[in-house]
Amino acid sequence: MTKQITNKTAHGVMVWDTEEKRSYLMTNDEAAKLEKEQGATGEPAVDKAEEKPKPTKTKPASKKEETTDGE
């Protein structure tokens, strides 16, 4: 299949067609059939965009104390 489900909404499902390189809105019934076909062929459906990992908050490295006596 060249169609991937990108976004599910209340009115239908947004589908990306990799062969035609365009997206379009599909009804929920048509999308259910598409999911069944993709499940049978082993192609995973894309439910939503991949989430980026959240950056962790880290403290900045403390500066080494400088001495004025040359050491």
Side-chain angles (χ1 to χ4, degrees):
M1 290 301 251
T2 60
K3 297 174 184 166
Q4 295 179 339
I5 296 172
T6 57
N7 190 13
K8 293 182 180 182
T9 65
H11 302 290
V13 177
M14 288 298 298
V15 177
W16 174 255
D17 192 337
T18 56
E19 193 172 280
E20 296 179 16
K21 296 190 179 180
R22 69 180 188 107
S23 63
Y24 53 92
L25 188 65
M26 181 183 279
T27 64
N28 291 327
D29 295 333
E30 292 172 340
K33 291 177 186 176
L34 178 64
E35 282 182 325
K36 286 181 183 178
E37 290 174 8
Q38 286 181 347
T41 59
E43 274 190 44
V46 178
D47 291 333
K48 57 183 176 179
E50 293 182 18
E51 295 181 12
K52 294 181 181 178
K54 294 181 180 179
T56 57
K57 293 183 179 180
T58 58
K59 293 182 180 179
S62 60
K63 293 183 179 179
K64 191 175 183 180
E65 292 184 24
E66 297 179 11
T67 57
T68 57
D69 59 348
E71 289 184 20

